[in-house]
Amino acid sequence: DGCIKAVGPADVIRKQFSEATFERIIDCSGKCVLPGLVDAHTHPVWAGDRVHEFAMKLAGASYMEIHQAGGGIHFTVEHTGKATEDELFATFQQRLGRMLRAGSTLVECKSGYGLNLETELKMLRVIQRARESMDIGISSTYCGAHAVPKGKTATEATADIINNHLPKLKELKLSGEIHVNNIDVFCEKGVFDLESTRRILQAGKDIGLQINFHGDELHPMKSAELGAELGARAISHLEEVSDEGIVAMARAECAAVLLPTTAYMLRLKQPPARKMLEEGVIVALGSDFNPNAYCFSMPMVMHLACVNMKMSMNEALAAATINAAYALGKSDTHGSLEVGKQGDLLIINSSRWEHLIYQFGGHEALINYVIVKGKVVYENERCETMSSY
C-alpha cells in the first residue's frame, strides 16, 4: 500500500520479515536513508521567465519598483494568461521532475499568475493533472489574491474573489473536478491590506480550505497576528514579523514557512528564525520557486537556512521534512520515517546525512535514490561510480 511497515535495527527487521519476499532489495551499506523532503511553498505554474529582471535587481531596483514598472508578478500574469493549458503543463512537469531529483517528494503548488477566474482555474487544472499523473506528492493552493489585477482596486479584487472565484472553486471541488487544499493571499502594503486579507482568508476557510498565506514580507503588516487569530495552518515569509506576532503564532501552533532564497535574492533582511525557534514556533522551509526566485533545490534551501538564518542542521532537516509536512496539514502521513506513514524516502551516497546540507549544490551526485510510496522514482547512476567525498 506504499506505506512503511517497519523501522528499526536490521537484525530485528530481518527476523520479522524472514518469510517475506521482495521485488527489490537496495544495499544501503555506507549510505544514509532520510525522509523525502517537503517543499512548503512554490509557484511552479507559469509562462514568461523574468531573467531580465535579475539584472535590474542586481543594479539596485527593489521588488516593488520592478512591480510598479509593469514587471514582477504582472509580467508573468500576462504571459501565463496567453499560454495554453498544455504548454503550462509541459513546463510544470519538467520543473516538478527537477524538484523530485533534488529530493522533494511532496511540494506545495500555488496558482496566482492568473488573477482572473479563467486563468486561475487553468492553473489549478494543470496542478490537478500533475497530481493525477505524476509520482511526486502535491498540495494545491488557490492564490488568486497574489496581486491586484490591472484596472481593479484591491477592494474590487477582494469582492471578485469572494463573490465569484471561491463559489466556483467550491462547485468544482464538490464535483471532484479540481481538488484544492489551501487558500493564500499576498498581504502586503500596496497589494492586499489586513482587512481584505482577513475577508478572503475567512471566505476560503468557510469552503473548507486551509489558510496558508504570504505575510509580513516587505512591511510589518500584523499578518502573523491575523493568521493566529483566524486559525491559519501556516504563514510564509515573515521577514518583518513583530515579536507579538511570533508569540501569537507559537500559541496558535501556526507554522512559519521561511524562504531563505527570497531574502537572499532580494537582499532583504532574513526572517528571525532563531527567535521563532526559541519562542516555540513550528518552523518550516520552502524554496519559493517562482520567476523571481528560481531555485528547485531543498538541500540548497537548507544550506542557506543554516548559514543565513543561523539554524542548526538538525533544525533545517526537521523544517524541510516533518515541519513542512505539518505546514501543509500532512504530518500524519508524510515527513518522517515511521511505521504507517507513506514510504517517501531518499538514499544518499554518504554515511553522514549532513552531507545533504554541507554540500552546497552537490545533490546531483549525492542523492542516489528517490522513493515515493515505496517505489523507486529516480535512480542516480552517477552515485555508483563516485564517492560522495
Side-chain angles (χ1 to χ4, degrees):
D1 61 2
C3 294
I4 296 170
K5 293 291 164 240
V7 179
D11 50 350
V12 175
I13 289 179
R14 279 199 193 100
K15 206 161 149 190
Q16 190 182 341
F17 292 90
S18 57
E19 305 299 308
T21 54
F22 296 95
E23 276 169 49
R24 180 167 188 188
I25 293 173
I26 298 173
D27 182 358
C28 295
S29 307
K31 299 188 178 183
C32 201
V33 183
L34 289 161
L37 303 177
V38 180
D39 189 340
H41 183 123
T42 79
H43 301 259
V45 182
W46 47 267
D49 75 33
R50 307 210 300 258
V51 66
H52 59 287
E53 287 180 12
F54 190 51
M56 292 166 73
K57 282 191 216 100
L58 296 178
S62 76
Y63 178 85
M64 285 317 258
E65 280 165 359
I66 292 168
H67 188 70
Q68 279 147 6
I73 292 171
H74 288 304
F75 178 86
T76 305
V77 166
E78 193 182 324
H79 286 76
T80 305
K82 289 175 187 164
T84 66
E85 196 171 308
D86 287 342
E87 285 166 345
L88 289 173
F89 182 65
T91 52
F92 180 41
Q93 258 186 315
Q94 289 174 338
R95 289 165 191 162
L96 286 175
R98 287 178 73 177
M99 290 176 181
L100 192 71
R101 292 192 293 277
S104 292
T105 54
L106 173 61
V107 179
E108 184 263 7
C109 300
K110 301 178 191 293
S111 70
Y113 293 118
L115 309 186
N116 61 48
L117 181 57
E118 184 193 347
T119 314
E120 287 294 315
L121 290 178
K122 177 170 70 175
M123 294 180 75
L124 291 169
R125 278 196 301 271
V126 165
I127 294 169
Q128 185 69 25
R129 269 173 76 178
R131 191 202 280 267
E132 288 165 8
S133 64
M134 293 186 71
D135 293 311
I136 198 164
I138 290 175
S139 178
S140 169
T141 302
Y142 162 74
C143 186
H146 194 197
V148 177
K150 285 183 173 171
K152 278 200 168 124
T153 64
T155 309
E156 289 165 343
T158 301
D160 185 33
I161 288 165
I162 292 169
N163 300 330
N164 300 314
H165 292 214
L166 291 174
K168 186 68 182 170
L169 274 191
K170 185 181 179 182
E171 182 191 313
L172 293 170
K173 205 175 165 194
L174 289 172
S175 69
E177 280 176 67
I178 294 179
H179 185 74
V180 181
N181 305 95
N182 317 290
I183 181 152
D184 191 351
V185 175
F186 187 15
C187 180
E188 185 53 69
K189 202 170 166 182
V191 192
F192 290 91
D193 66 13
L194 207 62
E195 199 40 49
S196 300
T197 301
R198 175 195 298 278
R199 290 180 55 216
I200 295 168
L201 293 176
Q202 186 60 56
K205 189 179 180 180
D206 291 345
I207 65 161
L209 301 177
Q210 289 184 126
I211 296 175
N212 187 334
F213 72 112
H214 290 62
D216 295 330
E217 179 186 357
L218 305 171
H219 299 92
M221 299 287 293
K222 294 203 182 310
S223 303
E225 291 89 328
L226 175 68
E229 181 197 325
L230 292 177
R233 167 57 64 163
I235 306 169
S236 291
H237 283 291
L238 301 164
E239 287 85 353
E240 297 287 344
V241 68
S242 69
D243 291 351
E244 296 75 20
I246 292 174
V247 171
M249 284 179 73
R251 279 201 196 117
E253 296 184 349
C254 170
V257 179
L258 305 184
L259 310 168
T261 46
T262 317
Y264 164 72
M265 290 187 194
L266 294 178
R267 296 168 172 164
L268 304 173
K269 73 174 186 191
Q270 297 286 333
R274 284 260 51 90
K275 186 164 178 58
M276 290 179 180
L277 289 161
E278 281 152 20
E279 294 286 355
V281 175
I282 298 159
V283 172
L285 289 170
S287 67
D288 196 16
F289 172 77
N290 74 73
N292 172 57
Y294 207 102
C295 174
F296 294 106
S297 164
M298 285 305 289
M300 290 177 88
V301 168
M302 289 191 283
H303 178 101
L304 288 172
C306 292
V307 175
N308 289 343
M309 300 196 314
K310 302 181 170 59
M311 289 173 74
S312 71
M313 286 191 282
N314 287 19
E315 287 165 345
L317 181 66
T321 53
I322 191 70
N323 290 3
Y326 175 87
L328 304 178
K330 299 238 185 207
S331 52
D332 54 338
T333 51
H334 293 71
S336 59
L337 302 179
E338 295 180 73
V339 173
K341 283 198 170 184
Q342 192 167 300
D344 292 3
L345 41 133
L346 310 181
I347 299 169
I348 67 165
N349 191 27
S350 168
S351 57
R352 292 194 56 160
W353 70 266
E354 291 92 342
H355 269 268
L356 195 61
I357 297 177
Y358 162 65
Q359 293 188 19
F360 189 50
H363 55 271
E364 278 101 345
L366 185 66
I367 294 176
N368 199 164
Y369 297 90
V370 179
I371 295 166
V372 174
K373 293 184 182 170
K375 183 177 100 179
V376 174
V377 294
Y378 170 60
E379 185 171 346
N380 185 352
E381 276 140 24
R382 268 190 256 185
C383 291
E384 304 314 322
T385 56
M386 62 195 295
S387 122
S388 68
Y389 305 107

